[in-house]
Amino acid sequence: MSHIDSITTGTSVLVMAEGDDVAVALRDLQPGETLPVGDGLLTVTTLIPSGHKVALTDLDVGATVHKYGQSIGVATAPISRGEQVHSHNIGMDLAARTHEFGTVHTELPAPTARRTFDGYRRADGRAGTRNYIAILTTVNCSGTTAKLIADRFRGGALDGFENVDGVIALTHQSGCGLVLESEGAQVLLRTLNGYASHPNIAGVLMLSLGCEMTPTSLVLAEGALPSDTVVESLSIQETGGMRNTVAAGVEKILALAEQINNRHREPIDISELVLGLNCGGSDGYSGITANPALGWASDVLVAHGGTSVLAETPEIYGAEHLLTARATTPAVGHKLIDRIDWWETYIHANGGTMDNNPSPGNKAGGISTILEKSLGAVAKAGHADLAAVYEYAEPIDTRGLGFMDTPGYDPVSVTGLVAGGATVVVFTTGRGSVFGCKPTPSIKVGTNTELFLRQGDDIDIDAGRIADGNATVDEVGAEILEMIIAVASGTQTVSEEFDVGQEEFVPWHIGAVT
């Protein structure tokens, strides 16, 4: 699968790969317009909104429609050259895909110089990019109390603690009424422990109600925390109710802040970074601009010995064969297929199908099928070999490119990545997003310039310049990499400036509640 390195200013349509049946409109195309495409001319017969597809050839019902050199669906109605190709005349391609394992290997260019960021070295050897105190709740019943404690530290309450990035209340909707041996309970415990031991969190206040199925002792026993993580705990029932617990919690947070404020940033090689890759509100430009540019930055980080992790299993469905071909071992590739199989069974049991995606917003932005969406999404992973596949919130422990099994719902997906250890997240969006994910900074990259002009206060980087012909994929990729390093060193993202990221802690809920 190829991507376009650069686009000439003023280009009206873009063909992504040789042999494609469609081109992408880079501006609104009007009926009757005649445009140069390849060696010939194309007359547009219907309105084609920017980011949507125009047919390059006549297609019969049942014909495979190609974009990116891959199938994105089959024609459900006759399609004429020059006509819009979208969800009204293209549907899911149900043909079985062939999976190869380890047949494609890309030798990434070796870095010419080592790069560093200014981070926090933790006692277990990992490197953090932030220094937070987390109020981690064992159960939903303690959620409001946790937020009341955290709210006391908004504004200037931490002005005397310059090395403390903030206090966050990590609340959720579970923790009781579940079978501890169940898959859902194990996912929750893995997630809670992943946050408790996260290198961006130096102090933890475990807050329980006191009678839940997931007590503090079990959460902390799920894995070893770094020895320099300072832990306190409170039980609402034992402390005497909400008012007393809030007062006690404030005192404990102040004590934690005193202890972790003496932590200081130091130069650390960027090979220590763990980058989470995610997208939300994708559009027809995602696979042309922001995602390939992020893939470029991901490849450079991996070439430096760093770690980059793709996610959202339902949104690589139909493109997973591109990843299995890059697997370092057959076992890695088969683990990815196992997760795809799990999802097919899971979705079917709940009365759905995998092509329930894309969302209405994706379709409004020009994406017609899950196959098209997935092919664009996989571009975030660049060209590196696939070195590991992780279950949700599983510790990320293998250098190189990895994949984590998560839902496509953004807060749930990124919660899994952060629980696994992601210390920086880059989040691409075409329709617009206000996403953040404390304690990990989230860099948002817009796919089109119109979005950046409309919602620029929420977007860190405008990758739409690629489609405008004003920048190349490599140039925007280099800009993303520089921002990753700057943000890892303490520069705030726009979501951090708005104090976004506490409410986006959303562990994946699987299974029955009793």
Side-chain angles (χ1 to χ4, degrees):
M1 179 178 149
S2 63
H3 69 259
I4 304 300
D5 294 314
S6 61
I7 299 171
T8 304
T9 302
T11 300
S12 297
V13 294
L14 181 65
V15 181
M16 294 302 299
E18 184 178 353
D20 280 358
D21 302 299
V22 298
V24 179
L26 299 181
R27 60 174 176 82
D28 290 348
L29 304 179
Q30 303 299 322
E33 284 192 65
T34 299
L35 308 169
V37 178
D39 296 329
L41 296 174
L42 174 70
T43 299
V44 178
T45 62
T46 61
L47 174 65
I48 315 289
S50 178
H52 286 242
K53 299 174 293 298
V54 58
L56 298 176
T57 186
D58 295 336
L59 295 165
D60 295 329
V61 174
T64 302
V65 182
H66 295 91
K67 179 185 176 184
Y68 302 112
Q70 302 283 331
S71 170
I72 61 168
V74 296
T76 57
I79 300 174
S80 300
R81 175 178 164 86
E83 183 182 349
Q84 183 188 20
V85 177
H86 199 33
S87 50
H88 64 287
N89 57 15
I90 182 176
M92 183 67 175
D93 183 355
L94 298 176
R97 290 172 298 282
T98 300
H99 297 104
E100 298 179 350
F101 302 94
T103 58
V104 176
H105 173 71
T106 300
E107 193 70 39
L108 299 177
T112 56
R114 302 307 305 177
R115 301 292 306 277
T116 63
F117 70 101
D118 292 332
Y120 295 97
R121 177 66 71 186
R122 302 302 305 279
D124 63 357
R126 292 187 296 167
T129 63
R130 293 294 184 269
N131 200 37
Y132 271 102
I133 297 171
I135 307 171
L136 196 61
T137 56
T138 57
V139 68
N140 175 255
C141 308
S142 56
T144 298
T145 306
K147 290 182 179 180
L148 288 172
I149 297 170
D151 285 346
R152 299 290 183 91
F153 294 92
R154 292 183 178 274
L158 289 172
D159 284 350
F161 304 96
E162 62 180 13
N163 294 322
V164 179
D165 286 299
V167 177
I168 50 175
L170 299 174
T171 66
H172 55 92
Q173 304 302 310
S174 187
C176 209
L178 73 171
V179 179
L180 284 179
E181 293 75 21
S182 68
E183 184 175 18
Q186 293 305 304
V187 165
L188 176 63
L189 289 170
R190 201 160 61 226
T191 303
L192 294 175
N193 179 255
Y195 272 75
S197 61
H198 197 280
N200 288 2
I201 292 176
V204 175
L205 172 60
M206 290 297 309
L207 184 61
S208 66
L209 176 61
C211 58
E212 54 269 49
M213 296 291 289
T214 54
T216 293
S217 59
L218 189 56
V219 173
L220 297 181
E222 277 295 294
L225 273 62
S227 60
D228 59 347
T229 299
V230 188
V231 180
E232 295 282 357
S233 62
L234 282 172
S235 162
I236 296 172
Q237 292 172 350
E238 293 178 3
T239 308
M242 181 180 289
R243 190 184 303 274
N244 289 338
T245 303
V246 170
V250 169
E251 291 301 315
K252 286 186 177 292
I253 294 294
L254 288 171
L256 290 173
E258 289 281 358
Q259 293 184 68
I260 72 170
N261 190 50
N262 61 6
R263 312 284 172 86
H264 296 279
R265 292 183 180 271
E266 61 182 82
I268 300 173
D269 196 275
I270 65 170
S271 62
E272 302 287 341
L273 288 174
V274 181
L275 175 65
L277 311 171
N278 216 86
C279 58
S282 301
D283 69 352
Y285 287 106
S286 295
I288 299 172
T289 61
N291 290 353
L294 177 53
W296 187 96
S298 174
D299 279 346
V300 174
L301 180 63
V302 170
H304 274 266
T307 306
S308 183
V309 185
L310 186 65
E312 303 180 280
T313 313
E315 298 186 11
I316 59 110
Y317 184 76
E320 75 279 355
H321 61 291
L322 301 176
L323 294 173
T324 62
R326 293 156 53 181
T328 53
T329 68
V332 169
H334 282 291
K335 187 173 181 180
L336 179 58
I337 297 304
D338 288 344
R339 300 318 300 166
I340 294 285
D341 292 343
W342 182 94
W343 270 96
E344 290 181 325
T345 301
Y346 179 65
I347 293 294
H348 178 74
N350 286 277
T353 60
M354 293 294 282
D355 61 346
N356 178 64
N357 220 319
S359 70
N362 298 149
K363 291 179 180 178
I367 296 175
S368 303
T369 67
I370 185 56
L371 302 180
E372 181 181 9
K373 184 176 182 179
S374 294
L375 290 164
V378 165
K380 299 193 298 293
H383 299 89
D385 294 347
L386 181 65
V389 173
Y390 304 98
E391 294 194 28
Y392 186 85
E394 193 176 5
I396 298 166
D397 58 6
T398 301
R399 297 285 182 97
L401 175 67
F403 180 85
M404 179 175 285
D405 178 26
T406 75
Y409 181 38
D410 302 326
V412 180
S413 177
V414 179
T415 294
L417 286 169
V418 174
T423 51
V424 178
V425 166
V426 178
F427 187 100
T428 66
T429 182
R431 303 295 291 171
S433 174
V434 295
F435 183 78
C437 54
K438 293 180 179 181
T440 294
S442 170
I443 301 167
K444 290 198 290 297
V445 182
T447 71
N448 62 88
T449 300
E450 191 276 331
L451 167 65
F452 188 73
L453 294 175
R454 183 181 73 247
Q455 201 176 331
D457 286 345
D458 301 313
I459 307 296
D460 294 283
I461 295 175
D462 173 25
R465 292 171 292 140
I466 298 170
D468 299 338
N470 297 319
T472 66
V473 167
D474 291 4
E475 287 169 345
V476 175
E479 185 177 343
I480 292 172
L481 179 65
E482 292 305 316
M483 189 160 201
I484 289 170
I485 295 172
V487 166
S489 301
T491 298
Q492 284 200 322
T493 66
V494 291
S495 67
E496 290 180 300
E497 291 172 0
F498 278 113
D499 200 23
V500 177
Q502 176 177 273
E503 300 300 323
E504 287 76 5
F505 174 71
V506 186
W508 187 10
H509 293 166
I510 304 173
V513 176
T514 59

